[in-house]
Amino acid sequence: MTHDEFRELLAAAALDSLEGEEARELAAHLDSCPTCPDELAELRLAAGWIGFDADPVAPPPALRDRVLAAVTASAPAPRAEPVRKPARVSRSATAFVGFALAAGIATLVVYTAGLKTRVHTIESQLEAERSLTRFLTAPDTATIMLAGTETTPKARVKLAYDRHTGRAILFGYDLPPPPQGKAYQMWFIAGGKPLPGRVFEPDATGRGWWSDEVPPEGRDASVFAVTLEPASGVAAPTGPMVLKSVSLS
Ligand SMILES: [Zn+2]
């Protein structure tokens, strides 16, 4: 077989659907060819992406059918072999090469669609992180640290909020799991009056982050606190204070 003939087998090899003599001959060719090993590695990577993708993106059925039809139609016809050489490209082998090629191209179509989804996800995450960084470093953003009281001495909550818009983010650390039916609730205490913030629950590691909005009257609050309340939240605090602000910046 020639280099080009081996190349046609690479897609099938990448999908582990090559057997017998063809597999052995390809293995021998891979030892001596300067380009086929790299091409096979790329095709294997493409096949692997689909295997590892939790949510593979299938090409539209019509597109897939068109690709399959086009490739099957253009599969090489059986050639007239030189007389001194036994014919090795049988009709079924040709059909197989066509199928393997079609499978390879279909694989790459799925791979490309999956890759676009992945790139889009990464771009979205990156944009979310940039937006968070802009928010945290903005001159109008105030940062408040809340420390745990005697009941939850290790707990910490960091509150960052925009003094003008009230847009806020809470970051929680070492928060014990609240009792059944209970949750933590944020309070902005202005002029001795507690204004309700959001209700939140940490994850299994005691951490979490939540968006919130500080009401206009609470943006100059001197005390920020967290109490333990019914999970649905309350308009005025009823439970014990578990965290309290320790510094302003
Ligand atoms: Zn080669």
Side-chain angles (χ1 to χ4, degrees):
M1 274 192 271
T2 65
H3 164 77
D4 283 343
E5 287 170 327
F6 280 117
R7 266 194 77 201
E8 288 176 352
L9 297 177
L10 293 177
L15 297 168
D16 288 328
S17 52
L18 211 58
E19 310 182 309
E21 199 193 344
E22 277 178 328
R24 280 192 294 278
E25 286 191 37
L26 179 63
H29 174 71
L30 288 171
D31 285 339
S32 60
C33 178
T35 59
C36 280
D38 285 349
E39 197 169 337
L40 177 62
E42 277 175 31
L43 286 166
R44 277 199 195 284
L45 190 66
W49 271 83
I50 293 150
F52 288 119
D53 203 326
D55 190 14
V57 181
L63 172 63
R64 187 175 179 280
D65 290 347
R66 275 209 307 283
V67 171
L68 289 175
V71 174
T72 310
S74 65
R79 273 157 299 194
E81 295 290 326
V83 185
R84 58 193 163 75
K85 203 174 151 200
R88 59 179 2 155
V89 181
S90 67
R91 197 172 279 274
S92 69
T94 304
F96 178 75
V97 168
F99 169 77
L101 213 55
I105 288 176
T107 298
L108 285 173
V109 169
V110 176
Y111 162 64
T112 306
L115 200 60
K116 277 182 185 159
T117 307
R118 222 167 252 269
V119 167
H120 181 73
T121 305
I122 292 169
E123 279 174 351
S124 303
Q125 286 171 351
L126 214 55
E127 181 45 40
E129 280 178 28
R130 282 200 199 103
S131 159
L132 185 61
T133 304
R134 274 198 300 274
F135 174 72
L136 292 176
T137 56
D140 287 336
T141 301
T143 307
I144 313 291
M145 279 304 296
L146 286 81
T149 57
E150 316 79 66
T151 48
T152 52
K154 285 171 72 185
R156 293 284 182 279
V157 166
K158 192 185 288 183
L159 165 70
Y161 72 98
D162 186 307
R163 292 182 213 268
H164 296 293
T165 65
R167 183 189 166 207
I169 304 178
L170 314 175
F171 299 91
Y173 313 90
D174 293 315
L175 292 164
Q180 186 73 31
K182 302 272 185 181
Y184 295 104
Q185 185 166 1
M186 185 76 208
W187 299 95
F188 314 105
I189 303 166
K193 186 177 180 285
L195 304 162
R198 70 163 294 152
V199 171
F200 59 96
E201 281 185 62
D203 65 16
T205 68
R207 289 181 169 229
W209 67 276
W210 307 269
S211 59
D212 200 354
E213 193 177 335
V214 183
E217 319 89 279
R219 290 174 202 166
D220 294 318
S222 51
V223 180
F224 299 80
V226 172
T227 57
L228 203 55
E229 301 293 349
S232 54
V234 288
T238 61
M241 188 183 287
V242 290
L243 291 120
K244 195 180 168 194
S245 54
V246 291
S247 63
L248 278 168
S249 66

